[in-house]
Amino acid sequence: MSQASTIRGQEILNNPVRNKETAFTMTERQSLGLEGLLPPTVENIDRQLERVQTQLAAKPNDLERYIYLMNLAARNETLFYHTLMSDPARFVPIVYDPTVADACLAFGHIYRGSAGMYLTRDMKGRFKKILRNWPAKDVRFICVSTGGRILGLGDIGANGMGIPIGKLQLYTACAGVPPEALLPVLLDIGTTNAALRADPLYLGLRELPPDEAEVDLISDAFIEAATDVFPGVCIHFEDWKGTDAMRLLARYRDKVLCYNDDIQGTAAIAVAGLTTALQIKNETFADQRVLFLGAGSAGIGIASMIVSAMVEAGLGEAEARERIVLIDVNGLIETSRTDLNEWQKPFAHEAKPTKDLLEVVRTFKPTILIGVSTIGGAFTEEVVREMAKLNERPVIFPLSNPTNKAECTAEQAYTWTKGKALYAAGVQFPDFEYQGKSYHPGQANNFYIFPAIGLAVYATRPARITDDMFITAAAATADQVGPSAREHGMLFPLQANILETEVTTATRVAEHIFDSGQATVERPENIRAWIEGLLYKPVYKEL
């Protein structure tokens, strides 16, 4: 007898996968023991959506809307995804960036129930046993975070669980990956955040994180357990401390199916936006000089992928690196510094030490300015005007989030460059009108990339994930921005059509996986139609 046929009455109403609430038919109510447990009216899912929208409209702010939607997900998964997929441009910013930042800061205070798994460092020898407690057995993706570097918020430990939950919800809402294949995990190794450790409502370990050697041992134990309990699972690393992120990606990428979205996904969406911007300028990557404010895992990841794009455009690797300059909290990445990590060193050039961004802009003369510093307002009016003086169409990407961490706003960039900037931020700024022309600022958000990668991997089951897959995804994303959109400064596809966009990108990535011999399933005659047949659809099933 199937699980569906054994669940009855209140038990089925408490099961978010099976629950239809007022959409149960009269026949189902009789056969499943639901009579009397529901109001007498039978509704379809679109009428239920009306009620959701009405209740959301009554909420005072997006954090309250986030809480409502998370409660809906815990109560009725199908209606939750039907809501998100009905208007992704409206709902993705609520369930993910930027609202998820506020949700993470308050996570212990707004906690309503578990939506994933919490593994602590003291469970290291029992990870396999504990992972088997998860009810789904065919888990295909685990998004795992330590909470060590959440958005621009720093180390927030177990409060970071909102990120794996939200990331995996976007796999489904943006790319149709079935939710039963997804598992959010918070790997709690402690936190450096003393205020959180002192908060009586904090839900994580009240300990400092261990040293790197112990982090590696904990990570090794987790990878071994996850790949044993869920064979073929893809590990999506998310928001680990920067040095941990770089080190562990290098440690595992050639051994297991894994990727780091902060490094590879961020790099791919940045390259996608830059590709569109350069098409507008009728230039190539070989023509560019790129300046970064920020040299952590995101900055190094983007810089490395730009090197690949420059090499593809005809430059040698050494020449490409010469065209990229980075500044971190301690100043310019240059050869006299003794504090550089192994990933920063290849980008160190002979130069005078300085912490002055404007000075570097004037001496290096970049065509592209990228911010991954989490320093709100760091791209000052003087800096942006200097970029406009140097370039007819300056490319300005303040990618830090949440909103208050953006290095400059869209309004500032367009105003200070007299409408010439090609602009994308890490968050969505509102449309802006300058001298009679309307501009639609781009949002270089990874949700254009990682759900599509997830869908392609879900379909093709490769043994490894390579940077080439992300470069393919970046090109596919850029190709979906039409001429009229570019006229209004748009560097990314419309979010309203996100499922169509992601399926198109996933199809291109899947084609690459098949062409490169990395797929472990038989190649179908029509890849797009095959992928479309795998998509999750938020419709009620007959019980």
Side-chain angles (χ1 to χ4, degrees), residues 60-383:
N61 54 55
D62 279 348
L63 180 59
E64 289 298 322
R65 294 182 186 97
Y66 171 92
I67 293 169
Y68 174 87
L69 287 171
M70 292 305 105
N71 286 338
L72 178 61
R75 187 180 84 233
N76 185 336
E77 181 181 86
T78 306
L79 181 56
F80 170 76
Y81 282 114
H82 183 71
T83 300
L84 265 56
M85 296 171 86
S86 72
D87 191 354
R90 176 187 175 192
F91 291 115
V92 167
I94 296 175
V95 299
Y96 199 64
D97 194 29
T99 309
V100 75
D102 294 330
C104 285
L105 286 174
F107 192 82
H109 294 250
I110 64 173
Y111 179 78
R112 298 294 198 279
S114 181
M117 295 199 77
Y118 296 80
L119 302 179
T120 60
R121 57 206 263 189
D122 57 294
M123 298 175 182
K124 183 175 67 175
R126 300 184 294 122
F127 282 161
K128 289 183 186 180
K129 179 180 178 181
I130 294 167
L131 285 172
R132 290 192 178 98
N133 290 336
W134 187 248
K137 303 309 174 188
D138 186 21
V139 171
R140 300 281 296 279
F141 294 92
I142 292 175
C143 183
V144 58
S145 180
T146 59
R149 196 229 62 181
I150 297 293
L151 302 173
L153 307 176
D155 183 354
I156 60 172
N159 277 18
M161 183 51 143
I163 298 297
I165 292 170
K167 284 280 183 179
L168 292 181
Q169 287 170 342
L170 296 195
Y171 272 63
T172 302
C174 296
V177 178
E180 64 268 21
L182 310 174
L183 170 56
V185 171
L186 193 287
L187 189 57
D188 194 342
I189 61 172
T191 178
T192 58
N193 192 318
L196 280 180
R197 296 198 307 271
D199 182 351
L201 294 182
Y202 177 61
L203 293 168
L205 294 180
R206 300 172 190 275
E207 305 171 8
L208 287 169
D211 60 23
E212 284 187 357
E214 181 61 21
V215 170
D216 289 355
L217 291 175
I218 296 168
S219 301
D220 286 348
F222 169 73
I223 294 293
E224 180 185 355
T227 53
D228 182 68
V229 174
F230 306 113
V233 71
C234 174
I235 307 297
H236 168 160
F237 291 102
E238 186 67 36
D239 286 341
W240 291 54
K241 188 177 72 175
T243 51
D244 289 344
M246 299 292 290
R247 186 181 72 257
L248 294 175
L249 178 61
R251 186 180 183 91
Y252 302 125
R253 64 185 304 164
D254 296 326
K255 298 177 181 177
V256 299
L257 185 66
C258 70
Y259 72 98
N260 186 300
D261 183 53
D262 303 302
I263 299 170
Q264 294 158 293
T266 301
I269 194 57
V271 168
L274 293 175
T275 298
T276 310
L278 297 182
Q279 289 169 349
I280 293 171
K281 295 177 69 173
N282 196 27
E283 296 176 2
T284 73
F285 276 96
D287 304 316
Q288 307 311 306
R289 297 171 66 81
V290 188
L291 174 58
F292 285 83
L293 183 64
S297 59
I300 296 297
I302 299 170
S304 299
M305 199 166 286
I306 290 174
V307 167
S308 297
M310 288 179 168
V311 169
E312 190 173 315
L315 297 181
E317 186 169 328
E319 186 180 6
R321 291 186 187 278
E322 285 295 323
R323 291 172 173 266
I324 298 174
V325 164
L326 300 98
I327 301 172
D328 71 0
V329 66
N330 294 318
L332 186 65
I333 303 295
E334 42 82 17
T335 52
S336 73
R337 286 183 53 177
T338 59
D339 61 336
L340 302 181
N341 63 45
E342 61 182 291
W343 300 282
Q344 293 172 326
K345 287 177 182 177
F347 291 97
H349 307 306
E350 294 281 349
K352 183 182 75 172
T354 182
K355 292 186 177 181
D356 189 331
L357 176 61
L358 180 60
E359 178 186 349
V360 178
V361 170
R362 286 172 172 163
T363 56
F364 179 61
K365 296 180 170 51
T367 58
I368 297 169
L369 179 62
I370 297 176
V372 282
S373 68
T374 71
I375 303 173
F379 293 171
T380 63
E381 181 174 355
E382 206 170 8
V383 165

Side-chain angles (χ1 to χ4, degrees), residues 272-280 393 397 414 421-424 428-429 431 437-444 448 477-478 480-497 501:
L274 293 175
T275 298
T276 310
L278 297 182
Q279 289 169 349
I280 293 171
R393 300 297 305 272
F397 278 24
Y414 292 130
L422 293 167
Y423 176 95
Q428 185 63 64
F429 282 101
D431 288 0
K437 182 176 180 179
S438 62
Y439 295 87
H440 184 83
Q443 184 185 12
Y448 284 107
T477 302
Q480 296 180 72
V481 185
S484 61
R486 296 177 184 198
E487 179 64 25
H488 292 281
M490 291 178 60
L491 304 181
F492 302 96
L494 284 169
Q495 294 178 19
N497 301 321
T501 299

Side-chain angles (χ1 to χ4, degrees), residues 170-171 173-176 445-456 476-477 480 493 497-509 528 531 535:
L170 296 195
Y171 272 63
C174 296
N445 194 303
N446 298 17
F447 67 65
Y448 284 107
I449 299 292
F450 71 81
I453 292 286
L455 179 56
T477 302
Q480 296 180 72
N497 301 321
I498 193 67
L499 181 60
E500 176 75 14
T501 299
E502 302 272 5
V503 171
T504 299
T505 299
T507 300
R508 286 267 294 273
V509 175
R528 186 184 182 98
I531 285 178
L535 299 179

